[in-house]
Amino acid sequence: EAQVTQNPRYLITVTGKKLTVTCSQNMNHEYMSWYRQDPGLGLRQIYYSMNVEVTDKGDVPEGYKVSRKEKRNFPLILESPSPNQTSLYFCASSPQLGPYGYTFGSGTRLTVV
Amino acid sequence: TQLLEQSPQFLSIQEGENLTVYCNSSSVFSSLQWYRQEPGEGPVLLVTVVTGGEVKKLKRLTFQFGDARKDSSLHITAAQPGDTGLYLCAEDGGSQGNLIFGKGTKLSVKP
């Protein structure tokens, strides 16, 4: 089944403790992206990647890192999480940039205390 | 950055009613996508519209792209409880690689 898989689905952590949210897609998509979704603010892009080893900042990149060493994986790294990073996170992929539609993962609900 | 305005923000209707939700921008869309999102899940792509004036149908859902490519609408005929969810429009940001989302219309269809 074609899908984007995120792990974990739920995570509670403490301020300052580094964490990684994994994202993997099995559709050979070139384009991958991370979004966060917050009440009243909607979906906002954190980082995106147009291909292996090519990443760039989205609208809200502060406090996050990403890497794209392989085409299928695009992990999101929070080096020193803070409470304002408590949010619902989504990974998405698309065949390439353009009007192709995105496939989203099921989300990771992160709480930083 | 282009802003997408969606209306209404909330809509609560009875099963069997028809409804229309809207997505508008002050700028021209390169293309527009519509998604449906259920609570706690990721958005699921419904349709992509590219050409001004384009109309696409997906069972009881009809999507229209304005002639000037600055607005779009989603019409649902005979709504069912299974249509409940958050309906999001999104524009492809082009070379910037940013899919820009509206804040959505939250639809509730009561049996």
Side-chain angles (χ1 to χ4, degrees):
Chain A
E1 181 189 353
Q3 59 186 358
V4 175
T5 303
Q6 290 180 232
N7 280 297
R9 283 296 305 269
Y10 302 93
L11 179 60
I12 301 174
T13 191
V14 296
T15 299
K17 186 177 180 182
K18 180 179 178 180
L19 68 93
T20 299
V21 183
T22 63
C23 173
S24 180
Q25 51 95 2
N26 62 359
M27 297 166 282
N28 202 36
H29 284 173
E30 289 186 357
Y31 184 90
M32 297 185 75
S33 182
W34 276 102
Y35 284 82
R36 61 178 289 175
Q37 188 173 32
D38 302 288
L41 297 176
L43 281 154
R44 294 178 293 165
Q45 190 182 53
I46 303 170
Y47 268 94
Y48 64 94
S49 169
M50 295 209 198
N51 215 323
V52 176
E53 302 291 2
V54 181
T55 63
D56 210 342
K57 296 176 181 179
D59 293 326
V60 288
E62 295 77 21
Y64 304 94
K65 282 175 57 177
V66 293
S67 68
R68 188 95 181 271
K69 295 187 172 67
E70 307 163 281
K71 200 170 191 178
R72 64 183 290 126
N73 295 324
F74 190 43
L76 179 69
I77 303 154
L78 284 72
E79 295 269 2
S80 183
S82 62
N84 65 12
Q85 292 178 298
T86 293
S87 187
L88 182 56
Y89 291 87
F90 290 103
C91 180
S93 74
S94 180
Q96 55 185 290
L97 209 54
Y100 300 102
Y102 285 29
T103 302
F104 281 80
S106 296
T108 295
R109 185 167 291 283
L110 172 66
T111 302
V112 183
V113 298
Chain B
T1 301
Q2 178 157 298
L3 291 177
L4 300 185
E5 300 277 347
Q6 288 192 246
S7 61
Q9 230 181 323
F10 301 96
L11 190 55
S12 181
I13 61 171
Q14 294 295 131
E15 183 176 1
E17 292 183 19
N18 302 331
L19 67 111
T20 303
V21 298
Y22 301 91
C23 178
N24 295 285
S25 172
S26 56
S27 307
V28 173
F29 295 120
S30 53
S31 65
L32 193 78
Q33 300 169 21
W34 282 94
Y35 292 82
R36 186 168 79 94
Q37 184 180 21
E38 297 191 25
E41 296 294 328
V44 175
L45 179 70
L46 296 172
V47 77
T48 300
V49 286
V50 178
T51 307
E54 185 174 4
V55 176
K56 284 191 173 179
K57 293 195 175 186
L58 188 68
K59 297 183 181 176
R60 293 176 294 100
L61 278 59
T62 302
F63 303 86
Q64 189 154 4
F65 202 15
D67 290 339
R69 291 165 55 211
K70 293 173 74 172
D71 60 274
S72 181
S73 63
L74 158 58
H75 181 80
I76 301 179
T77 303
Q80 299 176 1
D83 295 325
T84 293
L86 179 66
Y87 288 82
L88 296 158
C89 65
E91 198 225 355
D92 172 17
S95 60
Q96 294 175 332
N98 190 358
L99 194 62
I100 302 162
F101 282 87
K103 292 185 180 176
T105 293
K106 192 169 184 180
L107 172 66
S108 172
V109 182
K110 297 183 184 343

